């Protein structure tokens, strides 16, 4: 019976992390400056579930939060940014870290970031136009768009390092404390 009790607590913990992730997405839909911060935090909150139950469960939680975000979050741009990058990147990062060459890891990470963000905004502007975002891009010079992409890449480098440190913090400090509770 102790095993089932422990498993129930771990499942409850997964539910809490999933609910927190969705809550950040919902709150981010109300705050105008949270278009990137809320999906970034929501994606990081999926990692403890992947640590506890495996990456398949992490991917399932990512899909559930992504679908619920599309249905419930008022900011479509934010939901698509979660779906196209921030929701799955922390899960994918573990695969990218296995590349032996530091240069290959660097190139792969930045290629994923740039392709995913470009794909998300192509959808946002061309396929499922969000008028406010399409208007911003229409009035933007190519040079300014390049500067934004450069800033995005710089911010991504910080995010990538933060994901690694937060996962290490969870595994090294938070997880042992949470597991002691049962």
């Amino acid at each position: 019976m102790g095993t089932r009790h422990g498993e129930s607590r771990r499942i409850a913990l997964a539910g809490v992390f999933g609910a927190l992730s969705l809550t950040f997405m919902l709150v981010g839909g109300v705050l105008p400056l949270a278009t990137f911060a809320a999906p970034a935090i929501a994606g990081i909150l999926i990692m403890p579930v992947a640590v506890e139950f495996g990456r398949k469960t992490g991917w399932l939680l990512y899909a559930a939060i992504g679908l619920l975000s599309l249905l419930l979050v008022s900011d479509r741009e934010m939901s698509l940014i979660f779906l196209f990058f921030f929701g799955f990147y922390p899960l994918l990062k573990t695969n990218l870290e296995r590349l032996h060459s530091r240069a290959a890891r660097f190139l792969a990470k930045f290629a994923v970031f740039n392709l995913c963000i470009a794909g998300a905004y192509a959808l946002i502007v061309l396929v499922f136009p969000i008028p406010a975002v399409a208007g911003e891009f229409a009035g933007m010079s190519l040079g300014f768009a390049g500067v934004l992409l450069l800033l995005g890449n710089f911010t991504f480098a910080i995010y990538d390092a933060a994901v690694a440190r937060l996962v290490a913090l969870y595994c090294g400090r938070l997880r042992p404390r949470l597991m002691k509770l049962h």
Side-chain angles (χ1 to χ4, degrees), residues 20 64-65 71 76 83 99 130 133 135 141 149 163 168 173 175:
L20 272 171
I65 293 167
L71 296 172
R76 292 285 171 246
L83 277 170
L99 295 173
I130 298 173
V133 177
S141 72
L149 187 59
V163 169
R173 294 202 177 166
R175 184 173 191 243

Side-chain angles (χ1 to χ4, degrees), residues 88-103:
F88 72 83
Y89 180 75
L91 298 167
L92 181 65
K93 180 177 170 50
T94 57
N95 288 5
L96 297 175
E97 293 297 337
R98 292 182 187 144
L99 295 173
H100 294 291
S101 162
R102 187 175 183 172

Side-chain angles (χ1 to χ4, degrees), residues 34-164:
T35 302
F36 297 100
I41 294 167
I44 289 171
L45 288 169
I46 294 172
M47 283 308 296
V49 174
V51 168
E52 296 303 325
F53 296 101
R55 288 192 350 218
K56 286 182 184 178
T57 304
W59 283 100
L60 183 62
L61 184 59
Y62 152 73
I65 293 167
L67 179 62
L68 288 170
S69 293
L70 284 175
L71 296 172
L72 302 174
V73 174
S74 59
D75 186 342
R76 292 285 171 246
E77 179 183 11
M78 187 177 70
S79 295
L80 290 171
I81 293 297
F82 176 84
L83 277 170
F84 273 81
F85 184 71
F86 286 115
F88 72 83
Y89 180 75
L91 298 167
L92 181 65
K93 180 177 170 50
T94 57
N95 288 5
L96 297 175
E97 293 297 337
R98 292 182 187 144
L99 295 173
H100 294 291
S101 162
R102 187 175 183 172
R105 279 192 307 270
F106 177 85
L107 289 173
K109 289 176 182 181
F110 281 89
V112 166
F113 171 74
N114 285 289
L115 288 171
C116 289
I117 293 300
Y121 277 98
L123 277 176
I124 291 170
V125 173
L126 303 172
V127 179
F128 304 111
I130 298 173
V133 177
E136 287 176 15
F137 275 97
M140 190 182 298
S141 72
L142 192 57
F144 187 68
V147 168
L148 281 179
L149 187 59
L150 184 64
L151 288 172
N153 278 274
F154 176 73
T155 304
F156 165 68
I158 295 169
Y159 177 73
D160 181 61
V163 169

